[in-house]
Amino acid sequence: MEALRSRKGFICDMDGVIYHGDRLLPGVSRFVDWLYREDKQFLFLTNSSARSPKELQQKLLRMGLEVDESHFYTSALATADFLKKQNPGGCSAFVIGEPGLLNALHDAGVTFNNVDPEYVVVGEGGTYSYDTLCQAVRLVLRGAKLIGCNTDVTGPTEHGLIPACRALIAPIEAATGRQAYFVGKPNPLMMRTGLRLLGVHSEEAVMIGDRMDTDIVASIESGLDTVLVLSGVTSLGQIETYPYRPRLVLEGVGDIPAPESP
C-alpha cells in the first residue's frame, strides 16, 4: 500500500468507484480529503458521456463532496477531441446522447446533421429510441462512420445495472455489418490525455477502477499502476476469468489513505 500512496498522480473512474447513481460510496470523502491533503494530482476520468465536467462537479456537490471542475474528464470530451483532430476543418454528425456529449461536440466545432452526416456518434441516455436507432442504421448504410463513446455494456446505479453504450450501439452494428470505433476506455487515447492533464509520467500514476475490461486493461496497456475496487461491477471471483490482473484489489477507495492514529 505504501507504493500506492507514494504515487504522484491518481486517475479514478467514477461509476462504481466514487458513486452508484446518486449515492456516494463509503470512504470516498475520506479518500478525496487525503488526495487534497497530500497534494496529489488527481483526475476523475469517466466513460460516461452523459454529463459535462460542470454537471459532474455539481452532482458530487449535491452528495456533499466539493471537487473543482478541472478534475473531471469524460468520454464525451475524448470523443470530441478525437473528431476535432481527425477533421481539423470540421465535420458533421448524427448524435444519440445526452447534453454532455452534444455540448462537447458543439464546442469542438462538430455540426449536427440528420441527413448526410460524416459520422454517427452514439453515447448513452434517454434520447435512444427505436426511431433514432432506425435513423442511425440508415445513415451508416449511406456511408456515415460509426463512433461509440465507450465500450461499457452496462453501468451501475443504485437500482442495479442498466444498459450502457456498447449495448446500445450493438443493434446498429448488427443491422449494418459495420464495426464502431470506440474512443473511451480501454482505448489508450483517454489514458494518455489523462496523464497529460495531470502532468505526470505513467510510472508515477495509478488507475483506480471497478472494471477489468476497461479500467484495468487500459491502465496496464498505458503503463500505469493498477487498482481494482470491488465497489462496482466486478466481483472477486470474476477476476480469475481474465488473463491479466490488477496489482492491488481493494474493497473501495476508502482503503487507500493510511489508517488514522487512535
Side-chain angles (χ1 to χ4, degrees), residues 33-235:
D33 288 345
W34 176 81
L35 290 172
Y36 275 116
R37 187 172 65 252
E38 297 295 322
D39 198 27
K40 301 294 186 181
Q41 301 301 310
F42 70 95
L43 186 70
F44 292 136
L45 188 147
T46 174
N47 255 359
S48 174
S49 64
R51 292 182 173 91
S52 67
K54 184 66 175 178
E55 290 170 324
L56 290 170
Q57 178 201 34
Q58 291 174 345
K59 176 174 179 171
L60 290 188
L61 189 59
R62 289 192 295 270
M63 299 179 192
L65 196 63
E66 189 169 352
V67 178
D68 188 80
E69 184 181 346
S70 62
H71 290 288
F72 299 89
Y73 189 70
T74 72
S75 68
L77 294 174
T79 301
D81 289 342
F82 169 76
L83 291 179
K84 186 174 183 178
K85 289 174 181 176
Q86 289 279 299
N87 306 274
C91 64
S92 65
F94 173 72
V95 184
I96 301 175
E98 294 293 309
L101 176 57
L102 295 168
N103 291 335
L105 293 173
H106 176 270
D107 291 346
V110 177
T111 57
F112 303 127
N113 180 345
N114 61 2
V115 178
D116 56 353
E118 296 157 86
Y119 295 91
V120 167
V121 179
V122 180
E124 58 270 313
T127 63
Y128 187 94
S129 68
Y130 184 70
D131 287 341
T132 56
L133 171 62
C134 291
Q135 192 166 10
V137 167
R138 288 193 294 268
L139 294 173
V140 171
L141 288 173
R142 291 177 193 165
K145 295 175 277 290
L146 185 58
I147 302 291
C149 289
N150 62 73
T151 60
D152 292 355
V153 177
T154 61
T157 73
E158 65 270 37
H159 304 298
L161 296 179
I162 58 173
C165 183
R166 181 130 206 179
L168 301 180
I169 208 170
I172 303 172
E173 293 181 311
T176 62
R178 310 284 176 82
Q179 295 298 305
Y181 178 73
F182 293 96
V183 179
K185 297 173 293 184
N187 191 325
L189 284 173
M190 277 193 78
M191 307 305 294
R192 286 199 293 268
T193 300
L195 290 170
R196 189 179 73 248
L197 291 172
L198 290 180
V200 301
H201 190 274
S202 59
E203 293 180 355
E204 301 174 316
V206 59
M207 174 72 200
I208 305 169
D210 69 315
R211 290 180 178 270
M212 290 289 291
D213 57 348
T214 56
D215 303 318
I216 300 306
V217 71
S219 51
I220 289 173
E221 292 178 354
S222 301
L224 283 75
D225 194 7
T226 53
V227 175
L228 179 82
V229 291
L230 301 176
S231 52
V233 301
T234 303
S235 68

